[in-house]
Every structure is written in structure tokens, then in C-alpha cells.
Amino acid sequence: MPTATPSPTPTKLSLKNLTLEVAHWQPDQTIRAAHTLVFLHEGLGSVAMWRDWPARLCQRLGCAGLVYSRQGYGQSDPVTNVRGPSGETAGVRHGRLLPDYMHREALEILPTLLEALNIQRPVLVGHSDGGTIALIHASRFEVAACVVMAPHVMVEDISIQAILAARQAYEHGPLRQRLTPYHADVDCAFWQWNDVWLSEAFRGFDIRPELGSIRAPLLAIQGENDPYGTMAQIDEIARAVPQTQLLKLPNCGHSPQRDQPEAVAQAVQTFIRDL
């Protein structure tokens, strides 16, 4: 993609009793953007971990953009006692995530954020957990379109094995050090994701019955070498949502936007143009 102006400096946005790290921009202030792309990060992601890919994609498409860090990630409000019992005080969550955490994000937090910023009918661009959140949101709310990269619509054995490997890399390898620059509380960011995925209750997570309610155009992207999921993930989406376009990328792991940035950008550009 062409070089873009730097991504805007993230700011803090207060939503009721929750403060989130956000970056919101127009690629060219003289042009009214046709769409706003809302980027939803992976299970260990944040605003900073997207790097400049969202800004470059928005510039290429002539779209506005929004990136934010979910609670407990990046510079957003922390989650206290993340390995303790789950609870809520004055609307702010504390304790470990529950198996419905992606539904809560998609159906409660994201709509509140979009309303606060007056974003209507966004194009959701979600990666991994963010892709799942995008799908759940699109099944209940009106969106212009949905782009999902390496989403999870069900739990596969390959996913659990990869997440077990991530735990080993975090406790005994370099993963904690690599993640530390991207999160105010790296242990919170890691354990809230890792613990819920490895919990017995989460093995039954399955959003396939909800996918049939999606009416928006949908682009689903999966790498052939993704250790966190097989092609069954996006094939199941296409089975439930007839208007789905599939992109299966060779030589690509769990992060298509990093492993195959130009192929993904070109596919998204074509997809958005056809809207």
C-alpha cells in the first residue's frame, strides 16, 4: 500500500464508567468519507499492535477510520484482579472474562462506542477475536459491510493447542517481553484472554446459529498456515451467509494483514468498491 500520513495519536474516550483508548481519523479532511472502517483487534491486540495498517488502508480507500483497545488492552482501563472471580462495580468489569465476553463486546460496548462517536453503518474490520466480535455485532445491528480475518465461529482442537503453546511461550519464552510495549498491563491482557479460552466452559462456544442473521456484505479471510484455526471457520461462515466472499491465502498464518498485507488490502479495496 502507498505510504500514508502517520496514524493519529490515540486519545482517551469515556463511555459511561469505562475509558477506552481510541484513534479516529479522516485520511483527507477536505473529503467526506463514504464509509468509516472500524478495526477490532485480536485477543492479544491493541491500538498500537495494528501499527500503521489501518491508516494506510483507509488512505487507500478514502475512508475514515476508528481503532480502539478493548478494556484491559493497550492503554484502555485495566481489568482488576483479572484471575479472580468475575464481577462488576459501577459498570466497570473486574475479574476473569466469561465465555460470553465477545458477545458483551459486540452487543454492549461496541454499540455504545459507535453511538458516542456518531458512527452509523460502519464497515467492521475484525481480526481473530475481533472478527468474531464483528460477526456477532453484524448479526444484530446494521452495518455497511463486514471484513473478518481469521475469525473464530467455533472452538477447534487446533485453537486450543495453539493457545496452550502461547501460554508456554508467555511463561517460559519471549512472548511476555514482546507484548509488554503494547499494553499498560501486559499480564492483564494475556491472562484474561488465555484463561477464558482454556476454560472448560468455553469449549462449547459456537456462533454458527447466529450467523444466518447477517444481511450485510461479508468478506472472510483465512491463512492456510493459521495455527489457531482451519478453513472450516470461514467455510462455516459462507455456509450460513450466502453473500460471503472468501479469500484463502497461501503462505499466511494467523495475521493476514501482517503476513499478506497487499493481498488483503487489494481484496478489501475490491470488496468496498463493489458496495
Side-chain angles (χ1 to χ4, degrees):
M1 290 187 290
T3 301
T5 55
S7 300
T9 301
T11 61
K12 297 293 185 71
L13 178 68
S14 293
L15 302 174
K16 299 179 181 178
N17 295 304
L18 177 63
T19 299
L20 299 177
E21 176 191 29
V22 303
H24 187 206
W25 70 93
Q26 293 273 0
D28 184 339
Q29 296 295 336
T30 66
I31 299 174
R32 177 178 171 81
H35 298 287
T36 297
L37 274 55
V38 176
F39 296 85
L40 305 169
H41 66 72
E42 64 198 286
L44 293 176
S46 65
V47 168
M49 283 192 70
W50 282 108
R51 300 173 183 158
D52 66 346
W53 190 78
R56 294 169 64 207
L57 182 65
C58 286
Q59 184 185 53
R60 179 171 181 156
L61 303 180
C63 292
L66 170 68
V67 187
Y68 79 100
S69 298
R70 298 194 294 274
Q71 185 182 6
Y73 297 94
Q75 306 304 312
S76 289
D77 275 355
V79 178
T80 60
N81 193 24
V82 74
R83 305 197 82 177
S86 183
E88 198 160 294
T89 302
V92 178
R93 180 173 55 80
H94 58 87
R96 65 180 65 236
L97 292 177
L98 297 176
D100 67 348
Y101 75 98
M102 287 186 275
H103 283 80
R104 180 180 185 273
E105 191 70 32
L107 305 179
E108 298 177 24
I109 306 300
L110 181 56
T112 302
L113 175 62
L114 295 177
E115 182 179 8
L117 295 172
N118 194 30
I119 297 174
Q120 301 175 8
R121 301 189 72 248
V123 175
L124 301 180
V125 182
H127 173 221
S128 191
D129 279 16
T132 306
I133 291 165
L135 292 168
I136 296 169
H137 182 89
S139 74
R140 303 277 191 93
F141 293 88
E142 186 177 4
V143 300
C146 199
V147 177
V148 294
M149 302 178 291
H152 308 287
V153 301
M154 57 188 173
V155 178
E156 297 181 280
D157 288 342
I158 187 176
S159 311
I160 300 304
Q161 293 306 312
I163 291 169
L164 281 168
R167 174 174 287 194
Q168 287 295 312
Y170 191 81
E171 292 183 316
H172 306 293
L175 183 56
R176 187 179 189 278
Q177 183 178 2
R178 291 211 311 267
L179 290 173
T180 295
Y182 299 104
H183 302 284
D185 186 339
V186 68
D187 291 326
C188 169
F190 181 82
W191 290 117
Q192 66 172 349
W193 164 79
N194 196 263
D195 282 346
V196 70
W197 266 88
L198 295 181
S199 68
E200 187 62 33
F202 195 74
R203 290 307 299 263
F205 179 83
D206 189 338
I207 66 166
R208 285 176 292 180
E210 301 169 54
L211 297 177
S213 299
I214 297 175
R215 297 292 176 260
L218 199 158
L219 172 64
I221 303 169
Q222 186 85 18
E224 292 182 355
N225 307 117
D226 187 347
Y228 286 90
T230 71
M231 289 298 167
Q233 299 287 344
I234 62 172
D235 287 340
E236 288 294 308
I237 295 172
R239 196 186 323 277
V241 186
Q243 69 273 22
T244 301
Q245 299 178 34
L246 297 182
L247 177 61
K248 300 180 178 182
L249 292 171
N251 304 312
C252 181
H254 187 57
S255 300
Q257 76 278 14
R258 290 196 284 269
D259 295 347
Q260 298 279 357
E262 179 56 32
V264 172
Q266 181 60 56
V268 174
Q269 182 175 24
T270 302
F271 175 69
I272 297 297
R273 184 186 62 212
D274 291 344
L275 294 180

